[in-house]
Amino acid sequence: MNSTRILQHALKDNGLSETPGAKSTPRIQQAITAAASWLDKDDSKTAWCGCIRGLWGLETGTGVPKEHYRAASWAKWGKPVRWETAMAGDTIVMKRPGGNHVALYVKHNDTHVWCYGGNQQDTCNITRFRRELVTDIRRG
């Protein structure tokens, strides 16, 4: 299953963090470059959640939307999934101040969802979000 495969692959980047200042972490810079060559390569200036999600999709052959650097573009990728059938590795799109965020689903309860993704406190990690922020759950 693609969801399981992408999550297993993505977890290899667990703990990957931005480099403070003008330099960028090479793996994050790779994700940014793979997304769009014109994006600012400074990982502290570029919202890279969609970039790293896209890099995982490219590396695993599970696919990406055309503008995968835009978190919102993941809302049209794959097929919609309901909360009742969500499985680890599905793609979650959510609202955030100033835009959107994309990550991989881990689990949920009535009020929160746990997601693994990049640019979560400037790191690749599992973070808990309010479930009401989620706009889409997708599976490739």
Side-chain angles (χ1 to χ4, degrees):
M1 169 88 23
N2 286 345
S3 296
T4 303
R5 185 172 63 187
I6 193 154
L7 182 59
Q8 288 174 345
H9 177 76
L11 285 169
K12 294 175 186 175
D13 285 326
N14 193 35
L16 181 72
S17 295
E18 290 182 8
T19 300
K23 290 190 173 188
S24 292
T25 302
R27 177 79 170 151
I28 299 171
Q29 191 172 40
Q30 177 188 6
I32 294 169
T33 300
S37 61
W38 52 265
L39 286 170
D40 191 325
K41 306 302 182 262
D42 182 344
D43 57 21
S44 66
K45 292 181 181 177
T46 297
W48 51 274
C49 64
C51 298
I52 196 77
R53 171 60 186 88
L55 185 62
W56 298 330
L58 292 169
E59 290 174 341
T60 60
T62 54
V64 299
K66 184 177 180 184
E67 295 180 322
H68 68 261
Y69 58 90
R70 295 185 189 279
S73 70
W74 289 93
K76 297 175 185 151
W77 174 83
K79 295 181 180 181
V81 174
R82 296 183 326 271
W83 283 109
E84 301 80 37
T85 58
M87 56 189 297
D90 285 344
T91 298
I92 295 278
V93 179
M94 64 187 88
K95 296 177 276 187
R96 68 166 178 81
N100 295 280
H101 181 63
V102 63
L104 300 175
Y105 172 88
V106 175
K107 66 179 185 174
H108 75 275
N109 63 22
D110 290 341
T111 59
H112 289 87
V113 60
W114 285 257
C115 297
Y116 176 78
N119 207 21
Q120 297 181 165
Q121 295 87 37
D122 302 331
T123 303
C124 286
N125 61 38
I126 296 174
T127 300
R128 183 182 75 156
F129 297 92
R130 291 188 329 272
R131 196 168 139 170
E132 66 200 37
L133 298 175
V134 174
T135 60
D136 294 275
I137 307 170
R138 309 294 290 190
R139 184 176 299 149

